[in-house]
């Protein structure tokens, strides 16, 4: 599918055609995204929101049009609910800091899950260093899916927020996010959805989900690095304080007292990466030009095929993917071969996979291992590439 849109895919690595299977870490970028950013640097560049001059207006228009693209992409009610951040990590830190400051008292609790990325664990621990809050952890079952009954039991009168990954970056498990939000809302508890691994693979409708906060990164969905999104319901964004202070986020400043700008600018201190927001908008265009139906059909087929083929390898252990096919992220180990050795030798064959704990150490410990090899697919991957991965693994295992 459209491989020619991604120049990097024609590279040779160690004498082999590149087989790029590290898409959960970051996806490659189509020409349209890179070209739009280059074009803006060459012909439009000026700081946004600050100038009366032509270029500044034009850059501002592009930047705000990108915000509108994101609003439409996730069906937010208003563009003022779209905060541009550097990525999922910054988005979650913003909520942990600002929501934690305004809406949590000592002894209050946040619920996260055992399958979180570190970026949905550590920000809450940082909050703990400023305020003694509790972090409750929803366990996973032995089949590596969330234990929803346990989640319900963890909810207490002190629970102030549930912060949960939509899709696990290690297992590819798609969590029942609508059900989780329903359960939380029945207790008047807001939910932060870490959509880093879902935004690239499925449509998100924040109004249909009734999500309170949603965080995702541009670079995992064919967009540039350094740009991400925090969606927040207006009522929460109005209530919680700014995360950073500086230019753009202010109303009036004196040494005695400062008022804050309206949404979304209250949360966007300093010069935003307005070139990257254009890139993100073109990435959304790219996804929409293919369409979710096509993308999902292709990625599900790839994942099913990969699971089928990988299972033919002796001594393979695949984590997760018990209940359904899940997202196109597959973690595995082969017998006693160290994940790092397997990844390094696959690299020699031009195959890029991820190895290690994938920034989800508590989950990796729960799986009883020190790390895994992870193959993750995007819309441009092919069955031939999966065949190359499988024969590469067979070749490497025969060396041990
Ligand atoms: N949440 C999840 C579920 C993720 O997978 C990641 C990144 C993040 C948050 C953080 O995103 P960032 O863009 O702010 O860094 N995950 C991975 C990964 O699996 N391999 O490299 C980065």
């Amino acid at each position: 599918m459209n491989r020619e849109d991604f120049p990097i895919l024609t590279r040779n690595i160690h004498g082999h055609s590149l087989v790029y299977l590290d898409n959960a870490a970051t996806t490659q970028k189509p020409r349209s995204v890179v070209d739009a950013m280059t074009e803006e640097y060459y012909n439009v560049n000026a700081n946004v929101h600050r100038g009366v001059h032509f270029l500044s207006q034009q850059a501002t228009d592009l930047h705000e049009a990108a915000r509108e693209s994101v609003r439409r992409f996730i069906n937010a009610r208003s563009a003022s609910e779209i905060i541009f951040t550097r990525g999922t990590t910054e988005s979650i830190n913003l909520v942990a800091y600002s929501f934690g400051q305004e809406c949590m008292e000592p002894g209050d609790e946040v619920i996260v899950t055992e399958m979180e990325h570190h970026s949905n664990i550590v920000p809450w621990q940082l909050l703990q260093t400023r305020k003694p809050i509790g972090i409750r952890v929803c366990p996973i079952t032995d089949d590596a899916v969330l234990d929803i009954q346990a989640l319900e039991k963890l909810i207490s009168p002190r629970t102030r927020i549930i912060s949960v990954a939509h899709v696990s970056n290690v297992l590819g498990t798609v969590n029942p996010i609508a059900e989780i939000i329903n359960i939380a809302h029945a207790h008047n508890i807001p939910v932060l959805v870490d959509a880093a691994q879902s935004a690239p693979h499925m449509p998100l409708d924040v109004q249909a989900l009734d999500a309170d906060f949603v965080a995702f990164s541009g670079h995992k969905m064919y967009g540039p690095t350094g740009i991400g999104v925090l969606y927040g319901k207006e009522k929460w964004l109005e209530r919680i304080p700014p995360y950073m202070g500086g230019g753009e986020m202010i109303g009036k400043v004196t040494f005695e007292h400062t008022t804050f700008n309206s949404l979304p600018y209250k949360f966007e201190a300093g010069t935003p990466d307005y070139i990257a927001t254009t890139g993100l908008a073109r990435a959304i265009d790219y996804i929409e030009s293919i369409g979710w139906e096509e993308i999902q059909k292709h990625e599900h087929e790839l994942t099913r095929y990969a699971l089928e083929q990988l299972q033919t390898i002796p001594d393979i252990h695949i984590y997760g993917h018990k209940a359904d096919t899940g997202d196109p992220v597959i973690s595995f180990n082969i017998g006693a071969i160290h994940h790092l050795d397997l990844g390094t030798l696959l690299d020699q064959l031009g195959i890029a996979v991820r190895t290690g704990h994938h920034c989800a150490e508590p989950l990796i410990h729960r799986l009883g291992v020190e790390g895994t090899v992870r193959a993750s697919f995007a819309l441009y991957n092919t069955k031939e590439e999966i065949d190359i991965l499988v024969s590469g693994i067979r070749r490497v295992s025969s060396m041990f």
Side-chain angles (χ1 to χ4, degrees), residues 22 24-25 87-90 92 117 119 165 167-169 194 196-197 217 219-220 354 358 374:
D22 193 17
T88 310
T89 301
E90 186 176 306
I92 299 174
H117 188 275
S119 63
V167 171
S168 160
N169 68 313
D194 172 354
Q197 297 294 346
S217 300
H219 70 96
K220 292 185 197 287
R354 199 75 164 184
H358 316 293
R374 183 187 70 183

Side-chain angles (χ1 to χ4, degrees), residues 58-376:
Q58 204 175 3
T60 303
D61 290 348
L62 282 169
H63 183 61
E64 291 307 324
R67 197 188 305 277
E68 174 56 24
S69 291
V70 173
R71 184 205 66 74
R72 199 173 27 76
F73 185 64
I74 60 170
N75 192 33
R77 202 179 52 75
S78 157
S80 62
E81 295 176 316
I82 306 297
I83 314 294
F84 285 124
T85 64
R86 284 190 303 125
T88 310
T89 301
E90 186 176 306
S91 297
I92 299 174
N93 273 276
L94 189 163
V95 176
Y97 182 92
S98 298
F99 183 93
Q101 178 166 325
E102 179 66 26
C103 305
M104 297 183 81
E105 297 299 327
D108 284 347
E109 295 167 357
V110 54
I111 299 177
V112 298
T113 82
E114 214 170 9
M115 62 168 86
E116 298 309 317
H117 188 275
H118 295 163
S119 63
N120 194 25
I121 300 172
V122 185
W124 302 106
Q125 293 174 329
L126 292 180
L127 173 61
Q128 261 180 334
T129 65
R130 299 189 299 273
K131 197 180 268 188
I133 59 139
I135 300 174
R136 298 275 168 268
V137 183
C138 174
I140 59 170
T141 68
D142 290 339
D143 278 348
V145 296
L146 269 192
D147 186 341
I148 295 294
Q149 283 174 350
L151 177 72
E152 288 205 71
K153 288 199 196 111
L154 280 175
I155 294 174
S156 83
R158 302 308 299 266
T159 309
R160 291 291 166 266
I161 188 166
I162 296 176
S163 192
V164 57
H166 191 180
V167 171
S168 160
N169 68 313
V170 176
L171 302 164
T173 308
V174 182
N175 290 321
I177 201 69
E179 187 186 347
I180 293 169
I181 292 171
N182 279 339
I183 293 169
H185 286 181
H187 294 85
N188 280 324
I189 299 164
V191 176
L192 163 59
V193 181
D194 172 354
Q197 297 294 346
S198 56
H201 301 297
M202 62 186 73
L204 284 173
D205 183 331
V206 297
Q207 290 189 80
L209 282 175
D210 201 22
D212 299 278
F213 297 102
V214 178
F216 56 97
S217 300
H219 70 96
K220 292 185 197 287
M221 45 177 280
Y222 313 104
T225 49
I227 195 72
V229 172
L230 174 68
Y231 160 81
K233 270 186 193 163
E234 191 176 298
K235 69 166 182 184
W236 289 117
L237 294 179
E238 289 290 1
R239 184 169 162 196
I240 66 179
Y243 174 48
M244 288 196 283
E248 207 61 55
M249 52 73 72
I250 52 89
K252 272 230 153 320
V253 180
T254 65
F255 280 111
E256 292 71 37
H257 183 68
T258 290
T259 58
F260 303 132
N261 204 341
S262 56
L263 293 177
Y265 310 109
K266 169 178 149 188
F267 292 101
E268 293 183 349
T271 299
D273 194 340
Y274 52 85
I275 303 286
T277 55
T278 294
L280 178 60
R282 295 296 80 77
I284 289 172
D285 291 347
Y286 188 82
I287 288 171
E288 289 176 343
S289 73
I290 298 171
W292 280 122
E293 205 178 321
E294 193 76 12
I295 292 171
Q296 289 196 297
K297 185 165 155 275
H298 179 71
E299 291 183 345
H300 284 166
E301 224 170 274
L302 277 183
T303 312
R304 256 197 306 277
Y305 183 71
L307 286 168
E308 218 175 86
Q309 295 302 310
L310 286 168
Q311 267 150 13
T312 66
I313 297 172
D315 291 334
I316 192 164
H317 188 106
I318 295 174
Y319 303 93
H321 293 281
K322 300 277 193 308
D324 59 28
T325 311
D327 246 28
V329 178
I330 305 177
S331 267
F332 57 88
N333 275 309
I334 312 283
I337 303 176
H338 196 274
H339 50 87
L340 189 58
D341 292 336
L342 182 52
T344 307
L345 290 164
L346 287 174
D347 176 60
Q348 290 302 307
L349 302 171
I351 304 166
V353 291
R354 199 75 164 184
T355 66
H357 56 57
H358 316 293
C359 299
E361 281 195 57
L363 173 59
I364 291 292
H365 291 152
R366 171 66 174 84
L367 298 175
V369 292
E370 281 174 17
T372 72
V373 177
R374 183 187 70 183
S376 52

